[in-house]
Amino acid sequence: MPNKIENNTLIEETDAQQSNYEYNFFNTPWDDRTQRSKTCIIGLLCAIFVVTMAIVINNLVIFYKGFQTHSLIHDREIHCNVMRVDKYKYAARIHSIKSQELICVGAMVGASSVLANAVCLKSGPIRIYLGSLTSHRCKKGFGVNVIEPIPHDGVVTKKLVLLTTHDKMVYCGSLVRLGSSSFKRLAFIIGRPFRGGRTLSFQSATLARFDNMTSYNKGQSLERLINQNFICVKHLSKCEVRAGDLLIQRGRLIGIASTTPQKGSELACFANLSIIHDDLRELNIDVDFDTV
């Protein structure tokens, strides 16, 4: 008899537990749901599906764009020769102090002076680096103490700049002589690479005569414009010319790139440095200047 009472008590407790069980939005059986509840669940599932597909598609688009960008960079680098930054020790790397990025190149024309395009200053305070990336004397770079503008109509900014530091840079770099151009000799361009700052770009180019560029700048005396202010080059590879790049011929610096040429252009023009020799002399820069 007591055993029977205990069994009845157990059954009553089980029935009580089952009667106290409450259904909520998530565990209510489908057949017991109202039409509104079913609509909400279908809408929730559709929203989850749409969000998931949007994330997947967005990731695919980002990946595809990144792949295209990588392919473009790779394509440009195939046609852009690079060299060690210390191969030509007169080639100065001008870095932004804020971003630490290589923004321009210049040329060491004095023991403590670098000649560059004024556009190099547009990114704010700069620091100059020369020679080895590992030498304890050179890897910290040089601060700019004096900036001297040099008027020149061959650049968009209408001026070049002479950047002078109080430190001696001859331990890291070497001076380059300035020279005049010759159509009989091949030239080459040293510049900022498409990306990175541990190498410099290098490409050969042929000087272009003004009579082959009658459409370059209509309305002006082309012969006077090209001969006095510009030195233009042709037969460029796919390596992009940047504002400030150096034009070298016979081991002499003859030009500084005036501005970045238009995409796809096979012609690039440089500021003719043969017309600023006297300006450099007035700034007490004892440069070596050779004529052809």
Side-chain angles (χ1 to χ4, degrees):
M1 188 69 178
N3 187 25
K4 185 176 182 180
I5 295 174
E6 289 179 359
N7 289 339
N8 290 337
T9 303
L10 182 60
I11 292 172
E12 290 176 357
E13 290 178 353
T14 302
D15 292 339
Q17 289 177 358
Q18 289 179 350
S19 62
N20 291 332
Y21 184 82
E22 296 181 357
Y23 291 101
N24 56 35
F25 179 79
F26 297 100
N27 58 20
T28 301
W30 181 259
D31 293 336
D32 296 340
R33 291 180 181 273
T34 63
Q35 189 64 30
R36 180 179 179 183
S37 177
K38 292 178 179 180
T39 302
C40 290
I41 289 178
I42 294 174
L44 179 61
L45 293 175
C46 289
I48 293 173
F49 176 78
V50 170
V51 170
T52 303
M53 291 304 297
I55 293 174
V56 171
I57 293 172
N58 182 65
N59 289 338
L60 288 174
V61 170
I62 291 175
F63 174 79
Y64 180 70
K65 286 184 177 180
F67 178 77
Q68 280 190 321
T69 302
H70 176 76
S71 299
L72 177 61
I73 291 173
H74 182 67
D75 180 65
R76 290 192 181 188
E77 287 184 341
I78 288 176
H79 300 88
C80 189
N81 297 321
V82 295
M83 64 179 188
R84 300 191 320 270
V85 294
D86 58 349
K87 182 173 182 180
Y88 296 98
K89 292 189 175 182
Y90 54 75
R93 291 107 57 197
I94 300 174
H95 286 248
S96 166
I97 291 179
K98 183 178 180 180
S99 65
Q100 302 299 316
E101 292 182 357
L102 174 63
I103 57 174
C104 211
V105 295
M108 183 176 172
V109 295
S112 300
S113 301
V114 167
L115 184 64
N117 190 329
V119 74
C120 301
L121 305 179
K122 287 190 174 182
S123 298
I126 58 174
R127 195 166 184 83
I128 299 172
Y129 293 84
L130 285 156
S132 173
L133 291 168
T134 57
S135 169
H136 70 280
R137 280 185 170 183
C138 309
K139 63 181 180 181
K140 65 179 182 179
F142 303 91
V144 178
N145 300 111
V146 180
I147 300 175
E148 295 283 357
I150 302 175
H152 199 303
D153 289 333
V155 288
V156 173
T157 56
K158 300 299 181 183
K159 63 182 177 181
L160 302 172
V161 288
L162 188 68
L163 310 173
T164 303
T165 176
H166 293 330
D167 300 320
K168 292 290 184 180
M169 297 190 293
V170 290
Y171 300 111
C172 300
S174 60
L175 275 64
V176 62
R177 293 181 177 181
L178 273 65
S180 56
S181 59
S182 171
F183 291 105
K184 298 179 180 180
R185 297 178 179 270
L186 192 67
F188 63 88
I189 301 167
I190 298 175
R192 178 167 62 98
F194 185 72
R195 65 174 182 174
R198 304 185 69 86
T199 58
L200 295 177
S201 66
F202 181 92
Q203 67 174 316
S204 61
T206 303
L207 270 63
R209 295 182 181 276
F210 71 91
D211 54 1
N212 293 328
M213 299 177 292
T214 54
S215 62
Y216 177 71
N217 200 341
K218 293 182 179 180
Q220 298 189 40
S221 172
L222 291 174
E223 182 175 3
R224 179 179 180 278
L225 177 69
I226 300 302
N227 287 341
Q228 291 193 2
N229 294 331
F230 292 100
I231 301 173
C232 293
V233 297
K234 57 184 179 179
H235 299 158
L236 297 173
S237 65
K238 289 187 178 180
C239 182
E240 189 172 313
V241 176
R242 310 286 189 91
D245 288 359
L246 310 178
L247 182 62
I248 308 295
Q249 191 179 59
R250 301 183 309 113
R252 311 295 191 259
L253 177 67
I254 62 173
I256 291 181
S258 58
T259 187
T260 301
Q262 293 183 354
K263 186 177 181 180
S265 173
E266 296 182 356
L267 184 73
C269 290
F270 294 72
N272 186 352
L273 299 184
S274 64
I275 63 176
I276 64 166
H277 182 227
D278 291 339
D279 296 286
L280 293 174
R281 289 290 189 188
E282 291 176 2
L283 295 173
N284 295 319
I285 303 299
D286 189 19
V287 297
D288 287 327
F289 187 87
D290 290 344
T291 57
V292 177

